[in-house]
Amino acid sequence: MFETIRWRCHVRATDRRGAEHVARRLGTQLDGAVQIERYERYWKFPELAEMRLVSPLRCSTPETALLTTLQYAWRIATPWSLGTPGPGNEFDKR
């Protein structure tokens, strides 16, 4: 069973409270609460924060977990170079 997804992201947040606000907004996009595992300033660009997040996935097979993860990624970070699922839940490059 694939219970959770672990994410790493860079966000414009001046402090932890701003990062928590971003995590809450992501939770609305991902249909569940997002927890911050780690928060720190990004060494390369100090105006960014690097966050490690965990969100629920609740999938029973690898195929479903992969498809759901790609769909979640599409919701929160468009445009990607990966298209949305087409017939037969197949992805194609753009």
Side-chain angles (χ1 to χ4, degrees):
M1 185 93 171
F2 300 87
E3 292 294 326
T4 60
I5 304 175
R6 297 198 181 291
W7 304 92
R8 187 182 99 184
C9 62
H10 297 93
V11 298
R12 291 193 190 280
T14 57
D15 57 14
R16 179 155 181 121
R17 189 165 53 173
E20 289 168 352
H21 177 71
V22 171
R24 281 191 303 275
R25 287 180 47 206
L26 286 173
T28 62
Q29 294 291 317
L30 301 177
D31 303 325
V34 174
Q35 297 176 352
I36 300 174
E37 281 191 325
R38 193 171 93 200
Y39 164 85
E40 60 187 39
R41 301 309 310 163
Y42 183 44
W43 66 273
K44 198 170 186 180
F45 299 105
E47 68 274 12
L48 298 178
E50 181 178 350
M51 294 194 307
R52 303 281 175 144
L53 308 167
V54 178
S55 66
L57 183 57
R58 298 187 239 23
C59 292
S60 57
T61 65
E63 298 84 5
T64 306
L66 175 60
L67 179 61
T68 302
T69 300
L70 290 171
Q71 289 171 332
Y72 283 170
W74 184 259
R75 284 186 200 175
I76 63 174
T78 55
W80 282 52
S81 60
L82 193 61
T84 57
N89 289 328
E90 294 182 3
F91 288 85
D92 58 353
K93 292 194 285 185
R94 291 186 179 215

